[in-house]
Amino acid sequence: MLENYLPIMVFIFLGIAFGVGPMLIGYLLGPNKPDKEKNSQFECGFPPFDDSRMYFNVRYYLVAILFILFDLEVAFVFPWAVVQSDLGWFGFISMSIFLFLLVVGFIFEWKNGALEWE
Amino acid sequence: MMNTFQFDTASLLLALPEIFLLSAIVVVLLLDLFLTKRFKQVTYYLTQASLLITGVLSYNLIGHPETVIFSNSFVLDDMASVFKVFMMGFSMVAMVYSRHYLTQHSLFRGEYFILVLLSILGMMVMVSGYSLLTLYLGLEILSLSLYTLIAIARKRSGAIEAALKYFVLGAIASGLLLYGMSMIYGISGSLNISDISAFASDANLGARETLIINFGLVFLVIGIAFKLGAVPFHMWVPDVYQGSPTSVTMFISTVPKIAAVAMLVRILVDGLGAMHAYWADLFMVLAVLSIALGSVVALMQTNIKRMLAYSTISHVGFIMLGFVTGVVSGYGAAVFYVFVYILISLAAFGIIILLNKEGFEADQISDFKGLSKHSPWFALMMLAVMLSMAGVPPFIGFYSKFFILQQVISAGFITLAVVAVVFAVISAYYYLQIIKSMYFEDADKDITISAPMDIQLVLSINAILILVVGIFPDFWMKLALSLF
Amino acid sequence: MVSLSDYLILSAIIFCIGLVGIFVNRTNIITLLMCVELILVAVNTNFIAFSHFLGNEAGQIFVFFILTVAAAEVAIGLAILTLLFRNKGTISVDVTNSLKG
């Protein structure tokens, strides 16, 4: 009974090793010379070392809103892709209509400037 | 594997109104993006044209024998087609009134019309839904568009607050409805309405199955009551009505009621008709509470939108009474009541919108003071509307109440009918209050009506219809009865 | 072996947590959104459990649609939240009290 869980244990250990290993190696082998440029804000504009329970700028919500919508379309595309060969043209045209409607939404948000940061 | 998935042209033709409306939405949306400010009116005219064409397409499908298409999830019958035609007609009237309001309050934006079209698409899916999945999806298309529609007045904190309240309570309602649906699915093993109906009307149904269906049924009834705004699930109605821009209030309080009643008919009458004895009890309590609370609390309101909200709650009570009877003629009377209520309500909100001036919201009852001196014609119309709402005989509102009460009495609920009549009489008081301030009080501010001709014309026709249908109610009642 | 009723009890508990959370929460509207999400998750659990024990896929398809609708709902909720923040400068539930009668 218990040995059925062995693959899961192996999986967990491998997962931890892959996650922690590179960070550990980088910490041990890499040179550590911080300067002003390296500690400055980058990518998302957050300070690199800060309390994680801080207030977010309201503009992030806008990005989150758009992300959620276009993220979930994949939930429909994946099952469709798996059985597409059985569905034939019917499935292809149906999915094309669905994606076309999504593109219309995308054009709308782009033209309205929702993708601009400022 | 054999290719069994094919486009069935015949069934696509049956869904032509929906397909056309969806294409129209795409076209209007894209066109509106690239129109300059000068040509923004084009969006409005295109919206009206799409509504008209969709209505004509639905009209052509009236008389088609009942057909279930798209893997048993979409039904086309006379009820669906007639409801769609009425929805298009009422929406066109609502859009005429909306345009005036939107220009006056500088809210005129293409998105308004696109959201209205989307919500109408959702309602059409609801009206034709024949599986729990399509009904749910239609309901969500409708609700999500309405939440956004309220928030279109983004500078008014009252409107945003109303949108938030509507959103949170609407989401709870959907959650409860879904929980009920999951129970019904779990016990009957199907999402399809006719399968559920076959399961529920099985004579050999065990006690355990009946119990689980009833458990799901309670959640379904609560969800539907939330959407209709019946007491004790009415908390959102007054706040949303008061906070929303008046044109949105008008839209929310009218056309979606048809879709809500259609969903009620599909789930509770078509699907769980065999369980009528169980849900009728719940409906009786909800109906009496709605009529009582709606009539009494409306007496204390000074804001006319809030007053109309409570009046809607009591009208919803009457609609639910029609479903308590459990006979086809009772359902017909309820449908007739819905159409009458929408016709009256549109006229009432039309007159409120008419009194709006640039940047001035005429939403207090005192704004109607002395209307008869400045504009006798519109005061007369408001008189007809208010008497109709109160249920005074020559007007249409009398007949709709009369038909419902007739059915309730012949079904043997005498006490119920007496309670309804008593509260209807109480509610007459606040309608008369408005008439009093129009005719017997002097205006404390300047009333000028600066509305364009089209809204004045449509409003007049709307008010005259209230009288005309009131003189010949039999034809419409027969139409409503033929739908079941 | 996990039985159907275990799943149903779990989903009923999640459902109740979500429902109670909406009514007692007085601090933050984001929490409200999370509670709505909890309710939908409970329903999804129900549907998948039924679908598995009935051997009928319709319930799982329903779950796909609920997930999508939930995403759209959260998107609109966040949009309304942003507007509320712009108008009032806070997202506390207590500020939404100007509509009374």
Side-chain angles (χ1 to χ4, degrees):
Chain A
M1 181 63 197
L2 214 58
E3 61 265 22
N4 290 344
Y5 288 100
L6 190 68
I8 295 180
M9 209 172 77
V10 173
F11 181 81
I12 290 172
F13 272 118
L14 276 180
I16 291 174
F18 269 106
V20 177
M23 278 167 67
L24 204 67
I25 295 169
Y27 181 74
L28 291 178
L29 300 182
N32 184 16
K33 292 182 216 131
D35 60 33
K36 192 160 163 280
E37 275 309 305
K38 273 190 193 164
N39 278 344
S40 68
Q41 305 178 351
F42 68 105
E43 290 250 332
C44 304
F46 285 122
F49 302 104
D50 202 0
D51 183 15
S52 60
R53 289 181 177 276
M54 54 188 235
Y55 281 103
F56 288 92
N57 190 318
V58 130
R59 277 182 293 215
Y60 288 100
Y61 288 110
L62 197 66
V63 178
I65 292 165
L66 299 176
F67 171 74
I68 290 174
L69 289 180
F70 287 91
D71 183 44
L72 261 180
E73 107 220 14
V74 180
F76 291 104
V77 177
F78 268 133
W80 166 80
V82 172
V83 288
Q84 163 56 25
S85 52
D86 295 335
L87 292 175
W89 282 107
F90 174 76
F92 181 74
I93 294 173
S94 305
M95 189 44 82
S96 306
I97 294 172
F98 175 64
L99 290 178
F100 170 72
L101 290 177
L102 269 176
V103 170
V104 170
F106 184 64
I107 294 171
F108 179 78
E109 71 172 64
W110 197 340
K111 189 81 181 18
N112 268 316
L115 298 177
E116 312 289 327
W117 185 248
E118 288 305 326
Chain B
M1 180 181 157
M2 260 269 292
N3 191 352
T4 50
F5 302 96
Q6 287 288 327
F7 275 113
D8 183 0
T9 329
S11 61
L12 282 182
L13 278 178
L14 294 184
L16 196 61
E18 282 83 359
I19 295 172
F20 172 78
L21 189 61
L22 180 62
S23 326
I25 291 170
V26 170
V27 171
V28 175
L29 180 75
L30 289 178
L31 200 71
D32 180 66
L33 274 181
F34 295 97
L35 283 174
T36 51
K37 220 172 167 72
R38 256 184 74 214
F39 296 102
K40 278 291 177 194
Q41 295 289 335
V42 174
T43 314
Y44 166 75
Y45 290 111
L46 275 178
T47 305
Q48 291 285 33
S50 347
L51 287 175
L52 183 67
I53 297 173
T54 314
V56 171
L57 289 174
S58 308
Y59 183 79
N60 285 334
L61 288 171
I62 294 179
H64 195 280
E66 183 173 333
T67 325
V68 182
I69 48 173
F70 298 147
S71 327
N72 289 334
S73 57
F74 187 98
V75 67
L76 188 98
D77 54 8
D78 270 0
M79 189 182 99
S81 302
V82 170
F83 274 22
K84 283 175 202 167
V85 171
F86 272 95
M87 264 160 37
M88 295 311 137
F90 289 135
S91 308
M92 284 174 73
V93 175
M95 286 306 101
V96 172
Y97 300 160
S98 294
R99 180 167 75 141
H100 175 60
Y101 181 84
L102 296 173
T103 8
Q104 297 272 294
H105 293 266
S106 50
L107 290 171
F108 193 96
R109 299 167 64 205
E111 286 88 348
Y112 181 89
F113 297 103
I114 292 155
L115 285 169
V116 166
L117 286 179
L118 271 172
S119 67
I120 292 171
L121 181 68
M123 288 185 238
M124 291 174 81
V125 174
M126 267 168 94
V127 167
S128 273
Y130 208 59
S131 87
L132 298 180
L133 180 57
T134 18
L135 284 167
Y136 171 67
L137 288 180
L139 175 68
E140 287 299 324
I141 299 174
L142 165 66
S143 316
L144 294 179
S145 316
L146 289 184
Y147 305 148
T148 329
L149 203 56
I150 299 174
I152 205 156
R154 56 212 277 181
K155 295 270 158 53
R156 293 191 203 170
S157 61
I160 303 301
E161 215 178 294
L164 185 75
K165 278 193 178 153
Y166 194 27
F167 170 78
V168 172
L169 289 168
I172 298 173
S174 309
L176 292 167
L177 197 69
L178 273 175
Y179 199 79
M181 283 179 175
S182 76
M183 282 297 157
I184 301 287
Y185 165 72
I187 193 67
S188 71
S190 171
L191 292 172
N192 181 254
I193 298 286
S194 57
D195 292 350
I196 293 172
S197 166
F199 181 85
S201 48
D202 188 353
N204 307 322
L205 210 59
R208 186 174 145 269
E209 278 83 3
T210 319
L211 184 74
I212 296 178
I213 289 189
N214 279 327
F215 184 68
L217 195 61
V218 172
F219 283 95
L220 286 177
V221 169
I222 294 177
I224 291 171
F226 245 119
K227 293 287 173 194
L228 274 170
V231 180
F233 309 105
H234 67 288
M235 306 82 92
W236 59 273
V237 182
D239 290 349
V240 169
Y241 275 40
Q242 187 190 349
S244 313
T246 309
S247 65
V248 181
T249 310
M250 171 179 66
F251 189 72
I252 290 178
S253 79
T254 52
V255 192
K257 292 279 183 290
I258 301 182
V261 167
M263 184 171 78
L264 198 164
V265 171
R266 294 282 184 225
I267 296 183
L268 295 182
V269 177
D270 289 355
L272 295 167
M275 296 282 141
H276 174 266
Y278 297 96
W279 58 259
D281 285 348
L282 297 173
F283 264 47
M284 212 184 295
V285 177
L286 294 173
V288 170
L289 284 178
S290 305
I291 294 174
L293 188 122
S295 308
V296 173
V297 181
L299 294 175
M300 307 158 203
Q301 304 305 323
T302 55
N303 182 305
I304 191 162
K305 277 155 84 181
R306 220 174 158 84
M307 189 210 91
L308 284 173
Y310 282 106
S311 127
T312 304
I313 292 174
S314 87
H315 286 305
V316 164
F318 273 97
I319 294 168
M320 293 180 111
L321 272 188
F323 287 97
V324 171
T325 58
V327 285
V328 167
S329 49
Y331 302 155
V335 168
F336 180 73
Y337 198 103
V338 176
F339 287 143
V340 167
Y341 158 73
I342 293 176
L343 192 67
I344 304 172
S345 202
L346 273 178
F349 280 106
I351 294 169
I352 298 175
I353 286 176
L354 197 75
L355 293 180
N356 269 271
K357 282 193 286 282
E358 215 165 314
F360 168 69
E361 192 96 38
D363 62 356
Q364 298 298 316
I365 292 178
S366 58
D367 291 331
F368 282 83
K369 274 185 191 168
L371 184 65
S372 67
K373 300 222 174 51
H374 293 272
S375 169
W377 173 236
F378 289 112
L380 197 66
M381 280 167 42
M382 192 66 177
L383 179 75
V385 170
M386 286 297 135
L387 290 180
S388 204
M389 278 202 174
V392 175
F395 297 99
I396 179 180
F398 168 74
Y399 291 101
S400 55
K401 281 200 172 67
F402 175 72
F403 287 138
I404 293 267
L405 292 174
Q406 201 180 26
Q407 295 304 327
V408 170
I409 291 171
S410 66
F413 300 106
I414 311 278
T415 337
L416 215 55
V418 172
V419 171
V421 168
V422 167
F423 282 107
V425 171
I426 293 177
S427 72
Y429 175 76
Y430 57 78
Y431 298 122
L432 291 176
Q433 224 177 7
I434 294 185
I435 296 172
K436 182 181 137 238
S437 66
M438 278 193 313
Y439 280 91
F440 302 110
E441 283 172 29
D442 289 325
D444 45 12
K445 48 180 150 319
D446 184 36
I447 302 178
T448 43
I449 288 170
S450 56
M453 259 339 268
D454 62 340
I455 173 170
Q456 297 200 15
L457 189 71
V458 174
L459 195 53
S460 306
I461 294 172
N462 191 341
I464 290 167
L465 266 182
I466 293 178
L467 257 180
V468 171
V469 181
I471 296 168
F472 311 104
D474 286 343
F475 169 75
W476 300 100
M477 188 58 202
K478 283 207 186 77
L479 178 74
L481 279 177
S482 70
L483 301 181
F484 288 94
Chain C
M1 188 60 200
V2 187
S3 71
L4 176 60
S5 57
D6 294 340
Y7 285 110
L8 295 187
I9 291 168
L10 172 72
S11 92
I13 292 172
I14 300 175
F15 188 83
C16 292
I17 294 174
L19 209 57
V20 171
I22 289 176
F23 289 110
V24 300
N25 161 51
R26 281 273 155 264
T27 51
N28 197 322
I29 292 164
I30 303 256
T31 324
L32 267 173
L33 290 179
M34 290 189 216
C35 290
V36 168
E37 218 49 21
L38 271 185
I39 291 181
L40 294 177
V41 163
V43 172
N44 285 348
T45 316
N46 253 355
F47 267 116
I48 292 176
F50 280 134
S51 169
H52 176 75
F53 283 91
L54 289 167
N56 171 327
E57 303 85 10
Q60 296 182 27
I61 293 166
F62 207 137
V63 169
F64 266 102
F65 283 97
I66 295 177
L67 283 177
T68 321
V69 169
E73 212 161 58
V74 166
I76 286 174
L78 283 177
I80 293 174
L81 191 86
T82 321
L83 284 176
L84 191 77
F85 182 76
R86 282 192 185 145
N87 272 294
K88 304 230 176 190
T90 166
I91 51 168
S92 156
V93 181
D94 293 330
V95 299
T96 59
N97 55 6
S98 67
L99 297 173
K100 280 214 178 84

